[in-house]
Amino acid sequence: QVRLVESGGGLVQAGNSLRLSCTASSVTYDMGWFRRAPGKEREFVAAISWAADDIHYLDSVKGRSTISRDNAKNTLYLQMNSLKPEDTAVYYCAASTRRWNILPVTSRMYDLWGQGTQVTVVS
């Protein structure tokens, strides 16, 4: 079974940056990032198609974050800049092993999940 392993989380001050990485043990199709803040539901953050020709962001991270992937390394990235305390959450990498006609932006469209990496932003 394909495994996803995230890294790159940590504790940072507001305004700083972090880059999250997610490495898959095998080839996957569309990939995305989700997050769950304390006491809140898991929410979509960003998604990218296999060819990186379709990308979508949560409005609150748009302009501050960049999702990218390196298919040669089976690795997904999320560069987050100008971090805010409200970005504090556990961030999860997700991948789909099936092809969709649209870019998946809901959790039910992904069948592989990483273990999560904590991002804490302090003011």
Side-chain angles (χ1 to χ4, degrees), residues 34-64:
F34 289 75
R35 68 186 181 186
R36 175 174 284 152
K40 295 187 177 181
E41 296 290 318
R42 181 171 56 188
E43 68 175 349
F44 166 81
V45 176
I48 185 169
S49 61
W50 186 86
D53 55 357
D54 194 2
I55 291 174
H56 188 70
Y57 296 99
L58 175 69
D59 283 347
S60 63
V61 306
K62 196 178 299 182
R64 300 188 294 119

Side-chain angles (χ1 to χ4, degrees), residues 39-97:
K40 295 187 177 181
E41 296 290 318
R42 181 171 56 188
E43 68 175 349
F44 166 81
V45 176
I48 185 169
S49 61
W50 186 86
D53 55 357
D54 194 2
I55 291 174
H56 188 70
Y57 296 99
L58 175 69
D59 283 347
S60 63
V61 306
K62 196 178 299 182
R64 300 188 294 119
S65 300
T66 302
I67 188 171
S68 61
R69 64 190 298 167
D70 183 339
N71 289 337
K73 297 180 180 179
N74 292 334
T75 300
L76 175 73
Y77 304 98
L78 183 67
Q79 176 70 41
M80 300 188 294
N81 302 321
S82 302
L83 283 161
K84 304 176 181 180
E86 50 264 43
D87 293 318
T88 295
V90 177
Y91 284 71
Y92 297 91
C93 170
S96 175
T97 58

